[in-house]
Each structure stands twice: as structure tokens, then as C-alpha cells.
Amino acid sequence: MEYFLTEEQKTIKSLARKIAEERVLPVRAELDEKEEFPWAIIRDLADADMFRVFVPEEYEGLGGGCLELCLVVEELSRVCGGVAATYAVNALGSYTLIEYGTEEQKKRYLPDIAAGKKLTAFAISEATAGSDASAIRMTAEKVEGGYRLNGTKQFITNAGEAELYTVIVLTDPSRGARGASAILVEKGTSGFTFGKEEKKMGIRASVTRELIFRNCLVPEENLIGREGMGFIQAMRLFDRSRPGIGAQAVGIAQGALEAAVDYAQQRIQFGQPIISLPVVQDMLAEMAIQVEAARALVYAAARTVDSGARKITEESAMAKVFASDVAMKVTTDAVQVCGGTGYMKDYPVEKMMRDAKITQIYEGANQILRNAIAVELRKRKARTE
Amino acid sequence: MMGSYKGKGMGNEDYSGIWVFAEQRNGQIKNVAYELLGRARELADALGVELSAVCFGHEVDDVNGLIAHGVDKIYLVDSAELGDNQEDLLTQQLVELVQQHRPEILLAGATALGRAFIPRVAAALPTGLSADCTDLDIDADKRLLLQTKPTFGGNILAVITCPEARPQMATVRPHVFSLHETDGSRKGEIIKVDFKRERYTSRTKLVEFVAEVAETVKIEEADVIVAGGRGLEKAENFEMIQELASVMGGAVGATRVAVDEGWLAYPHQIGQTGKTVCPRLYIAVGISGALQHVVGMQTSECIVAINDDPHAPIFEVATYGIVGDLFQVVPLLIEKLKKR
Amino acid sequence: MNVVVCLKQVPGTTQVKIDPETNTLIRQGIENIINPFDTYAIEEGVRLRERFGGKVTAISMGPPQAETALKEAISLGADEGILLSDPAFAGADTWATSCTLFMALRKLEKYDLIICGRQTLDGDTGQVGPQLAEMLALPFIAYVSQIEEVADGEMRVRRMVEDGYEIMESSLPTVLTVVKEINTPRLPSLRGIARSKSASIPVWGVEELNADPDKVGLSGSFTRVVRIFSPQRVCRGEIFQGDVEDQVDCLISRLKDDGFL
């Protein structure tokens, strides 16, 4: 399919593929098995300027947009969804700073993020606040010298490894979600520790831990934007980041499709490669259609984000929901095509199937996002009546 | 050194005889020199010329013994300063001798040393050189050395000649020629050449040598090699290979996959990216026979393949084959050999 | 520290076939790459520049399309590239290639080190490094696996030999060939690729090098390729039949007959 990528976008995509194939592929099974954080790959990505992709040029980045980020995430995910998650979360952890941060904040942090010297993370979920993100309880009390943070964030990707955390906290608990604010916290700040490493079904090369704050004092200048804007900032962030999850899903599905085709061509049953069986052909064709449709929607949504359009909730939710459902379906079918072999850990498709599942869950469960899309539909209908 | 361009017009009839550079290390002449002499003797006879060996070193053992390998003349340069093969000195000394005595062919082993300094000799003379040859022949009519060398990692072979310049030079891969019977009754002459150190400069210095391979049997020199590949599945299973090797009095080899997996150390690796071996007996266990491996062992006198896949390409080069489960075959083989 | 890295563009596979009609290599559909052994030379040059400053110049002799290999070298960290290309350079053997590189290096300003890969993927000769050193009258060290020290116009390196390694010292400038153990080449970077795209690669031919046409290309080559062919496999041997016991007995009896036991 012709997606009219620019020369620069093609370069980004092909270099990301090269890294994935040369550096990630040889270790992906081991990273998955041992749940190891892929530091060596992070360094390779940094050396290749991949962390510059999503940082503005003024701060030593390459000034890419959502589409450029999606291209990198897609290619990494084609080989390993876990490595891709680790990478992509850096964009998630930087967007709020890039969009709402002061010049001083940006100058202080972004060059190191662009160089890959500092990883970032974003924290909103809590034990009581998942799909209902407005139910967060963690507080930031204004005291002399800054904010005193108390509370626990749950299921935070890159926790423990990242140097810089954007944390959504309540600066005014009495106002609920309207009292939420985004605050930057550096690793090593007194009173800021990490919970145990979660054991996950998939994306096991990424790390997931709790962030634990006990009277953790951060300076006032760590507030991003204005007090009370945190929830809005977070929602806007997710609108921009969801095509990235879609890209992760497309990449995982693409990898599974390729593995299934390879296997079907090699596997001889009834005296012929199983790819010559009509039932298998039908499955593979359907998988290919789904993957390509998902890619087209993800790229289109990413371009919508990059167009500067203000209302992008629907488009980015659609891309994420559709692509993640495709990833789950395609990876499941890939395991089916590969049969008993596919079910074994020696073959990559079972890992892809496990990795795919999270894309339906995080950054808004697909049910919540479908609901959000439906709400928009109703609103539009109401406006026209 | 760029002045004396080509032997053109100088008259190739001025050049006569075959020389073999007899490389020594720590005072021992390397096996490759004897291998080369066997083949070079045949080439010299085909041309009807003398065969000479050139030996540079210090108190080298058994230089006389070269005569029994077919040599008519030995040019021996003995000096304490040549003991550690300083390449600058070897290059200059060899260039000078060649210019003086004008052999029509000069051969050397394609060892680390040979491949490093022989090209410099060729550049300085200057004349043509082919590297890492696996076969040598003579076109007696044209008095040309036909040099067969692998290219593209052994997937293509090329026959190279050096039609005009002399000497015709080649480095030859160790173990491609087998040792010939020695003839103790042969007569030959040792010509001692003074080493005039003051005429040469050496700009590189050997500070220290560190031996790294702690093998009991060197696979390049072993008569019997038992090698294992992917079919062994894990490092522990190489104990079985080790045991078969020790029963057979041989060395242990491995494919690239086995080495990449960490089952065995790199010095055991046989193939394009490892060593080329030519034992009398090569037993390939759980080795599919990928080209990259086969190029490193296909000249073995007898190849035994044990593999459960009847279509494995290793059977195409095997003298004897057992299609079966190596975990049954090998222990039984060891047991029966031990009983003998 | 100014480093010159010599590299060659080669077909990206050794699985080449011979066209039975023309008896030439089939090169169609094979992507060209930087000779893998040369990527270690580039990386080592770039690391030396990162340590000591200076610049890395990549130089290659080849057809016009070899420009892409030099651009790739820039994307991997080299500062500049020079392409030695002229129809007269075609068909060069290692001597004529070394001679062409020699003439180009004469034109270059001061350099402290010349690094080559240990050999090429296609020709497998490993001769250009030492021959170039000889022509330039520079010291030469082969199979370098580690550069230990560079100071005061001297360097100390570790080089691999069959049974271990040697620590060698040399004055600068010097010529090295490096082995894959020396480093892990980095991947290109996006900024490096952008730089390589805008870099212009000067092309030096016979005229620019002021070369004697008799010393380059086929006419400057001492050697001739008489023919090329694919290696022949030994024919299939004997496969033993029966159960495991029979097979093993058969093998032992054959090995005994052949004098191996």
C-alpha cells in the first residue's frame, strides 16, 4: 500500500526495522523469558537517534510528529512488542512536558531525553483508578518549598528504570478531577520509591512497577502548566498517544502474519505445504486484509493528530481500538496456522499473542474507548437535531 | 619501491626454480611447509627445475630434514633477530633473496604470518600474488602456475595465473595438500645467507606473546576429528562427543551454531568462519552440513555422518552415513569401540 | 588523529551462482553492501576520532554506485568519503587496487592511521592492506583485535595469531587490518543518515590521481582470472541400513577395513 511517506519517514522506518532485526530479534526470546529490561537495545536506539524522533528540534530532537513515532513503534513491535512499549512510553512521559512545560523545564530535561540519556514514564493509574482515571487519590500538598506528594501509582511502565516521571496528582482533592495537576518527579527524590516488579502475561521485556510516594517533597517549579489542569492534560495526552498503541498493535500483527506465512510455506502436511490448503489461504488472506486496514487507519489517525486538529479523541480512539482488536485476532490466528509448533515457546507467535492482549487494555480499555466514540456520536446527533 | 615496474621485457627465462617459504615458529618448521614441499616437488618435476626452501629464524630445528621432503637447496638465514618473525625484516630479506636468485615460483603457507607479509613481498618486487589457494597446478607449456583459490566464502573457485611478472606467487591454505613420504636418502644443499641487520629497518616491535588456546589436541593437526552441531541440542551433550573423540584418539570440532550457542569455544569451530581441517577421519554428529561448515572439512579423507534427517546435505559429502538418532547411535558406538 | 578507512562495496551474500552461458557471476538481484569486515574498520576509526579528535576519511575504489557505500560510512560516523572511480580502474587485481589507493593517499593531507578490514567477502584475499602499506613504505600490522594505546606518535595494539595474541608496537603513521573481535560496529543514526544524504562525495579518476594508466585496472594487474567454477561435491557414499546395532556394527567394520581402527 502506498502511504506517501516522505523520504525522512522512510528512513526512520527502515532504520527502526534494521535495529529491530539486528539487535532485538536475536534477544527477544531471552528478554521475554527472563523479563529483562532491554538496556543494550535502549542504548542502540539512543545511538540511532530514535529518542530524538519525538522531541522538538529546538531541544536537540528531530521534531517528528505522531506519525514518525508510530513508524518506529510499528517496526519495533513487528519484532518485540515489549521493547516497543519501553521505547514508546518515553514519548508518553515527555509529551506533557513538551506541550505544557516552561522553556526552562524543557531546556533542562528534553536534550537528555532526546539523547536517550534519560528515560521517562507517565503515571496516572492507581489501585482505585483505572478506566475511571478521575478517581485518583494521590495528593500533592502545597507546602513551603514545593509540593509534598503522598500516594501510590500502579502499573507504571518503565518504573524504576526511567529518570523522569510525569505524575498526575490531586493538588486540590476537594475538586476531584478538576483538582488534578501534572508534576515532574525525578528518580532519586527523597520519599520516592518503587514497588516490586510485576510479572506480566506479555510485553515482558518492559518493566512495570508501582511508584510509591511518602512525603516526597518536590520543588514548585516541577509543576507542569497550571494547577487543576492535570486531568485535561492527561486526556489530551492520550488522544495524541493512542495512535502509537495502534502502531504497536499493527507491528505485532504484522510480525505474526509474516511468521504464519513463513510457517505455512515450510510446513508439509498431506504431501504439500499447508499454504496450498484453501482453508489456510483464507485465514492468511483475512489476516493480511485486517493488518493493512489497521495500518491505514493508524497512519490516518496519526496524520490527523499531526495536522493540529483540536478534536481528535474519536479518530485516535478508533485507530487504537481497531488495530488492537486486529492484533489479538491476527496473532491468535497465527498461532492457529502454526498449530502445535505455534503453541510452543520456541516459535515466536505465542509471544506475539501474549503481547497483543495488552494493546486492547492499556491507554483506555477498548470498551471505554468505544463508549467515548459512542458519546461523540450521540453528541453530534443531538447537535444536528 | 614503485620504480621497478613489472618483469616485462626482463625475460622470464631468467627466472627458474620453485621456492617454498618454510615458516618457523619458536624454532619449529610449521607443518604447512612440509605439505607445500610435497606438492611443490611435483610441480618442480613437471617444470624440470630445482625446488628450494627458504627458512628465516634462529637455531631452527631440523632444517636438514627439509631435504627429505624433496628440497634441492635450502636458503637459511639464521639470526637471533629473526627468531620472532618481525615482518619488516622478513619482507626485506625475502625481497632481496628473490631479486638475487630469481625463482619463477614462490609459495608460502596462508598462515597469519604468510598472509600478512607475503603480500608485502609481492608489492615490493612487484609481482602478482593469489591468496589462500586450495590447489596448485602447472601449465607446463606456458610454464604457468595455475592457482585455484576460493572466493565468495568458498562458493566460487577461481583459477588465477600471473602471465608475465615473475616470480608467480601464491599463499596456500594449510591442510589442503597431504604430507608425502619422506626420502632420507635425498641429497641437498644448505646455503647459509648472512643476515645483514644494518641494511634493514623494523618499525614494528613484538612486545609480548600470550598463548590463548589451551586445547589438548589442536584440531588443525588432528588425524581424527569428531565434530558436533545443532543436533547435540545443548552443551552437556558435547561430553558424548568428547568421549567418542578420546576413544578414537581424536580432537573435538564444532559447527558455527554450536559455538554461537556457547556449547564449545571458538577454537573448535570448523568451517568458513572457523578453521579448515583435513583429518584422515571426520565424524560429523548432528551436523546438517551447511555449506559454510562443509567448506572447512570436505577434503577430509573419510567422512562419517550421523544425523536423523536423511535429506541433510552432510550425507552428500559423507563416505559413510548413519541415518538415526545420534543419542542412540553415539553411545552404542562408544560402547562397542571400548569393548574392542 | 586523522584516520583513513579503506573499504569496498561487495555483493551482500556469498551465495552467488555462475551463469552457465557466460561463465560470469550472476549479480542481478543481489544487494550491494559495505564489505562486512570493513565495518569494523569504520567503527574503530570513529572510536579513535571520538577519543582523540581529528577526522575519519573513508575511501573506496569501485564503480560509480560504490558512492552509496561511502555515504553509508558517513552515516556510521565517518566525516568524509572519497570515491576512486574510473572506467580505467575496472578489472584491477589486488596489486592494481592497492596502487590506486596508494596514489589517492599521496594526495591526502596528513593522516596518522590507515585501517582496512581483514579481507573482503567476495575476493577473500586480504592483500590490499599489506600491499598498500608496502607501497606507502609504512609499517603494517595484520589481524588487530584491540588498540590498546595511542600516544606520542606510537601505538600499541593486540593482534591475533593462530595460537593466541601478540602485543605489538608501531610508530605512526601505520597501516592496520582489523578483525571482527575488535568492536561491535554501531548502527547508523538518523542524524548520520541525514548528514550522509547531504554529503558530496568527490570522485577521483585517472586524471585527478595523475595516474599512470598502466598501473591501474586490468592493464595494471599482474594476475589474470583464467576461469571460475562452482566447487563440486564428492558423490554420495554408503548409507548403512538396518537397526541401530546393525548400522553401528557396519560402520565399525568399514572403519576397520579402511585402517582407522
Side-chain angles (χ1 to χ4, degrees), chain B residues 104-154:
Chain B
E104 60 191 304
I105 292 172
L106 171 58
L107 307 174
T111 57
L113 179 70
R115 290 192 72 176
F117 98 96
I118 293 291
R120 298 174 56 189
V121 173
L125 283 169
T127 185
L129 166 66
S130 58
D132 207 25
C133 294
T134 51
D135 200 6
L136 296 174
D137 228 315
I138 285 287
D139 177 339
D141 291 344
K142 296 182 185 157
R143 299 189 76 81
L144 283 182
L145 179 66
L146 304 174
Q147 307 148 41
T148 303
K149 78 171 299 292
T151 62
F152 289 98

Side-chain angles (χ1 to χ4, degrees), chain B residues 308-328:
Chain B
D308 61 0
D309 175 9
H311 302 294
I314 191 72
F315 288 114
E316 286 165 28
V317 295
T319 321
Y320 304 121
I322 292 180
V323 178
D325 178 3
L326 68 92
F327 296 105
Q328 288 178 28

Side-chain angles (χ1 to χ4, degrees), chain B residues 1 5 149 159 316 320 336, chain C residues 123 134 214 226 234 245 258:
Chain B
M1 75 218 53
Y5 179 65
K149 78 171 299 292
V159 179
E316 286 165 28
Y320 304 121
K336 286 184 181 265
Chain C
E134 195 61 27
D214 268 354
V226 183
V234 187
E245 183 103 25
D258 294 346

Side-chain angles (χ1 to χ4, degrees), chain A residues 82-104:
Chain A
V83 166
T86 300
Y87 165 78
V89 158
N90 287 281
L92 193 71
S94 308
Y95 267 155
T96 313
L97 171 64
I98 291 169
E99 197 147 343
Y100 303 101
T102 61
E103 187 60 22
E104 202 190 331

Side-chain angles (χ1 to χ4, degrees), chain A residues 61-339:
Chain A
L62 292 168
C66 184
L67 181 56
E68 283 78 7
L69 180 73
C70 283
L71 295 173
V72 179
V73 171
E74 179 190 349
E75 287 301 332
L76 294 177
S77 303
R78 178 173 158 270
V79 172
C80 179
V83 166
T86 300
Y87 165 78
V89 158
N90 287 281
L92 193 71
S94 308
Y95 267 155
T96 313
L97 171 64
I98 291 169
E99 197 147 343
Y100 303 101
T102 61
E103 187 60 22
E104 202 190 331
Q105 285 172 328
K106 289 194 261 192
K107 271 193 178 145
R108 181 163 172 200
Y109 296 113
L110 288 178
D112 280 350
I113 293 170
K117 285 181 195 160
K118 282 190 173 151
L119 299 188
T120 71
F122 181 83
I124 185 164
S125 295
E126 297 180 14
T128 56
S131 289
D132 181 8
S134 63
I136 59 168
R137 290 180 182 172
M138 179 173 162
T139 57
E141 186 191 348
K142 191 86 171 273
V143 293
E144 200 186 317
Y147 294 97
R148 185 189 292 137
L149 311 186
N150 275 295
T152 301
K153 292 290 178 186
Q154 196 182 42
F155 301 154
I156 307 305
T157 308
N158 279 0
E161 309 299 332
E163 295 292 327
L164 188 66
Y165 299 79
T166 301
V167 187
I168 305 298
V169 294
L170 296 179
T171 40
D172 185 353
S174 66
R175 301 188 65 208
R178 287 183 185 162
S181 304
I183 289 182
L184 284 168
V185 189
E186 289 183 59
K187 182 177 169 180
T189 308
S190 170
F192 174 29
T193 56
F194 304 101
K196 69 166 173 54
E197 286 181 27
E198 304 287 352
K199 298 211 166 290
K200 301 192 294 293
M201 174 190 200
I203 57 165
R204 287 157 57 94
S206 69
V207 65
T208 309
R209 297 172 75 170
E210 285 175 336
L211 309 185
I212 301 165
F213 299 89
R214 294 282 177 270
N215 294 321
C216 169
L217 187 69
V218 298
E220 200 172 331
E221 72 228 33
N222 283 21
L223 176 74
I224 304 178
R226 286 186 286 122
E227 272 190 26
M229 294 297 289
F231 196 72
I232 293 163
Q233 290 169 347
M235 292 307 112
R236 199 168 143 72
L237 164 66
F238 288 132
D239 284 347
R240 294 187 56 179
S241 68
R242 281 187 190 116
I245 305 299
Q248 184 188 19
V250 169
I252 294 170
Q254 177 68 35
L257 171 63
E258 288 174 27
V261 172
D262 276 357
Y263 182 84
Q265 231 148 19
Q266 285 164 18
R267 174 69 171 171
I268 312 281
Q269 288 290 274
F270 311 108
Q272 57 185 339
I274 61 169
I275 200 165
S276 37
L277 299 171
V279 279
V280 175
Q281 290 177 354
D282 186 63
M283 286 177 80
L284 293 174
E286 189 58 30
M287 288 157 75
I289 294 165
Q290 295 280 312
V291 172
E292 206 56 61
R295 180 177 291 117
L297 184 55
V298 166
Y299 287 8
R303 285 183 159 130
T304 306
V305 170
D306 290 337
S307 73
R310 273 185 58 244
K311 286 186 63 67
I312 51 176
T313 304
E314 263 181 296
E315 289 86 345
S316 75
M318 285 174 180
K320 190 266 186 189
V321 169
F322 185 75
S324 59
D325 285 351
V326 162
M328 202 60 242
K329 175 83 169 71
V330 167
T331 54
T332 308
D333 285 350
V335 172
Q336 189 69 23
V337 168
C338 300

Side-chain angles (χ1 to χ4, degrees), chain B residues 1-2 5-8 25-26 30 87-88 91 111-113 115-116 119-124 126-132 146 148-165 171 203-213 218 220 248 266 272-273 275 280-281 283 289 291 294 298 301-302 304 306 310 313 315-324 328-329 332-333 336-337 340, chain C residues 11 13-18 25 27 93-95 99 102 118-119 121-128 130-143 156 158-171 174 180-181 212 214-216 218-240 244-249 251-252 254-256 258-261:
Chain B
M1 75 218 53
M2 299 289 294
Y5 179 65
K6 285 200 179 183
K8 269 181 190 169
R25 186 161 174 85
N26 304 321
K30 287 198 153 188
E87 289 164 27
D88 275 342
T91 303
T111 57
L113 179 70
R115 290 192 72 176
R120 298 174 56 189
V121 173
T127 185
L129 166 66
S130 58
D132 207 25
L146 304 174
T148 303
K149 78 171 299 292
T151 62
F152 289 98
N155 286 308
I156 301 285
L157 296 174
V159 179
I160 310 275
T161 62
C162 178
E164 289 171 1
T171 59
R203 299 154 300 183
T204 58
K205 190 172 103 193
L206 173 63
V207 181
E208 191 189 357
F209 166 71
V210 181
E212 240 184 359
V213 186
K218 285 193 179 166
E220 301 100 307
M248 300 286 301
Y266 177 72
Q272 181 56 40
T273 46
K275 285 170 179 151
R280 290 193 60 223
L281 177 61
I283 303 180
L291 198 56
V294 169
Q298 61 190 350
E301 193 180 319
C302 177
V304 176
I306 300 168
F315 288 114
E316 286 165 28
V317 295
T319 321
Y320 304 121
I322 292 180
V323 178
Q328 288 178 28
V329 175
L332 191 64
L333 183 59
K336 286 184 181 265
L337 287 171
R340 285 171 48 87
Chain C
T13 173
T14 57
Q15 305 298 315
V16 289
K17 300 230 155 46
I18 297 173
L25 294 177
R27 287 183 184 260
D93 71 357
T94 63
W95 194 89
C99 196
F102 160 74
R118 67 170 287 182
Q119 67 190 64
L121 198 65
D122 54 353
D124 286 337
T125 73
Q127 290 177 178
V128 168
Q131 298 202 319
L132 178 61
E134 195 61 27
M135 291 173 184
L136 289 163
L138 290 179
F140 171 73
I141 303 176
Y143 307 121
R156 177 195 284 248
R158 183 182 280 209
R159 68 114 162 242
M160 292 174 64
V161 291
E162 281 99 345
D163 46 358
Y165 63 89
E166 293 176 342
I167 308 287
M168 302 283 296
E169 284 178 353
S170 171
S171 56
T174 190
K180 69 179 193 319
E181 287 76 7
D212 177 346
D214 268 354
K215 291 189 181 180
V216 297
L218 188 62
S219 60
S221 297
F222 291 110
T223 60
R224 290 288 180 272
V225 177
V226 183
R227 73 187 179 103
I228 55 171
F229 59 102
S230 302
Q232 289 186 333
R233 301 270 201 182
V234 187
C235 26
R236 198 182 169 94
E238 184 181 2
I239 306 289
F240 303 124
V244 179
E245 183 103 25
D246 293 343
Q247 290 175 325
V248 170
D249 287 341
L251 175 63
I252 290 174
R254 288 289 190 285
L255 292 180
K256 190 167 156 254
D258 294 346
F260 293 115
L261 297 175

